[in-house]
């Protein structure tokens, strides 16, 4: 831990490097506590406090546990560390969650109270677009405002202009982005379909979609199986990619694909948010 490193400066650097971390901020203190409101700390996925200060052992255990959980599910947390008698007055026990607040017991002699907000900061999910078709270019353009790290891979000779993406690769041989979540769309549309599919099937992904008909994908499937690629892997590709929105133009098709990817990306998160609102409503 380095309490002397500028926390906000390190936050900027870690975000730029697409590295995951949790930012813990003391939002309220009552009575005697080691850290005061506004104190911050950066916590890495391995539980190491890389910079900042949020107090000693009284707060560390509960905060590190909350940080690990936040990095695992991507949800922010508010924890309230209080003496046992105050928890009893509230009618809660250590580990209870009420109205979005997780309670923990302060074991230190100071018997102060600290409320700490723990926010996970995750790398942007990666969208890998393979191909230089109009749909591919529309996907790359529309995905940026949605918070994706966009990589487009295609023979550069097929591109009339250089798209505004985070990473542009010539051809279909590339290093896979080392992000938590990866979504892949093959939109070659007749120019290197098989090569792009083989590249897309060579790594783990949360979603794979192929812009093309079921018949075309069935034909490519037979070729891929003949090259020794497992059927279960080939069948992980959604073809045709996208929700059935009645899309016609490349921009509309791209929108339907991003809508489908958003469903995959947010799966589980919306349920958690609805559950939280339901608890508050009760």
């Amino acid at each position: 831990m380095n309490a002397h490193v500028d926390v906000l400066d390190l936050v900027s650097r870690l975000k730029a490097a697409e590295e995951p971390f949790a930012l813990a901020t003391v939002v309220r203190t009552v009575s005697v506590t080691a850290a005061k409101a506004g104190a911050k700390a950066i916590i890495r996925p391995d539980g190491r406090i890389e910079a900042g200060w949020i107090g000693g052992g009284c707060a560390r255990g509960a905060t590190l546990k909350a940080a690990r959980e936040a990095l695992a599910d991507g949800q922010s947390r508010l924890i309230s560390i209080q003496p046992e008698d105050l928890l009893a007055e509230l009618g809660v026990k250590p580990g209870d969650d009420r109205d979005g607040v997780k309670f923990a017991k302060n074991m230190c002699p100071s018997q102060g109270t600290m409320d700490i907000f723990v926010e996970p900061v995750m790398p942007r999910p990666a969208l890998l677009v393979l191909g230089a078709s109009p749909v591919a270019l529309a996907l790359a353009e529309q995905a940026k405002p949605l918070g994706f790290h966009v990589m487009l891979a295609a023979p550069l000779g097929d591109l009339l202009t250089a798209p505004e993406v985070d990473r542009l690769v010539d051809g279909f041989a590339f290093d896979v982005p080392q992000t938590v979540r990866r979504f892949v769309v093959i939109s070659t549309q007749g120019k290197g379909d098989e090569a792009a599919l083989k590249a897309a099937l060579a790594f783990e992904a949360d979603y794979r979609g192929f812009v093309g008909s079921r018949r075309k994908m069935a034909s490519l499937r037979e070729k891929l199986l003949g090259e020794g690629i497992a059927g279960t892997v080939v069948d992980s590709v959604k073809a045709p990619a996208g929700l059935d929105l009645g899309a016609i133009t490349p921009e509309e098709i791209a929108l339907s694909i991003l809508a489908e990817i958003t469903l995959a990306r947010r799966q589980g998160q919306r349920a958690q948010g609805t559950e939280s609102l339901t608890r508050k409503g009760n």
Side-chain angles (χ1 to χ4, degrees), residues 79-96 98 101-107 111-115:
I79 58 174
S80 185
I81 304 167
Q82 303 190 25
E84 189 171 16
D85 58 336
L86 293 183
L87 293 177
E89 288 179 15
L90 293 172
V92 296
K93 300 186 296 296
D96 284 355
R98 178 188 290 178
V101 180
K102 190 71 169 283
F103 292 92
K105 179 181 176 182
N106 186 347
M107 305 290 292
Q111 294 295 287
T113 292
M114 293 177 65
D115 292 346

Side-chain angles (χ1 to χ4, degrees), residues 6-259:
D6 186 286
V7 171
L8 296 182
D9 179 61
L10 183 56
V11 165
S12 297
R13 284 189 276 134
L14 291 175
K15 281 185 174 181
E18 301 280 351
E19 295 188 34
F21 64 95
L23 179 63
T25 303
V26 179
V27 296
R28 184 181 75 107
T29 64
V30 179
S31 188
V32 179
T33 58
K36 300 304 178 185
K40 301 178 185 295
I42 292 173
I43 303 168
R44 302 305 297 269
D46 60 4
R48 173 171 43 93
I49 297 180
E50 184 150 322
W53 171 253
I54 49 169
C58 308
R60 183 188 300 268
T63 305
L64 295 184
K65 182 175 185 293
R68 288 192 297 269
E69 293 173 348
L71 288 168
D73 63 19
Q75 302 296 308
S76 298
R77 284 160 169 73
L78 178 62
I79 58 174
S80 185
I81 304 167
Q82 303 190 25
E84 189 171 16
D85 58 336
L86 293 183
L87 293 177
E89 288 179 15
L90 293 172
V92 296
K93 300 186 296 296
D96 284 355
D97 191 322
R98 178 188 290 178
D99 297 330
V101 180
K102 190 71 169 283
F103 292 92
K105 179 181 176 182
N106 186 347
M107 305 290 292
C108 292
S110 64
Q111 294 295 287
T113 292
M114 293 177 65
D115 292 346
I116 302 174
F117 183 69
V118 180
E119 176 188 8
V121 182
M122 309 296 290
R124 290 177 296 166
L127 175 64
L128 288 73
V129 182
L130 309 187
S133 68
V135 172
L137 298 178
L139 271 169
E141 181 180 356
Q142 293 179 22
K144 289 277 287 182
L146 298 179
F148 287 94
H149 180 281
V150 180
M151 186 192 89
L152 189 141
L156 295 185
D158 293 344
L159 293 168
L160 297 179
T161 59
E164 294 186 12
V165 294
D166 295 289
R167 185 179 167 201
L168 182 62
V169 177
D170 185 7
F172 302 121
F174 51 83
D175 294 327
V176 179
Q178 297 303 307
T179 56
V180 176
R181 309 201 68 185
R182 293 186 287 255
F183 303 87
V184 190
V185 179
I186 302 95
S187 186
T188 39
Q189 295 185 272
K191 292 188 176 182
D193 294 340
E194 188 175 347
L197 273 166
K198 287 171 67 176
L201 294 172
F203 56 89
E204 294 294 325
D206 295 270
Y207 170 92
R208 295 185 183 92
F210 177 75
V211 180
S213 67
R214 291 185 179 87
R215 179 178 296 179
K216 185 173 186 180
M217 184 62 207
S219 173
L220 288 165
R221 181 182 188 276
E222 294 306 312
K223 294 180 180 179
L224 294 169
L225 292 179
E227 295 190 24
I229 299 176
T232 53
V233 176
V234 179
D235 292 340
S236 69
V237 180
K238 168 73 184 313
L243 300 178
D244 185 3
L245 305 180
I248 296 175
T249 68
E251 291 77 14
E252 291 171 348
I253 295 170
L255 176 63
S256 74
I257 296 169
L258 285 171

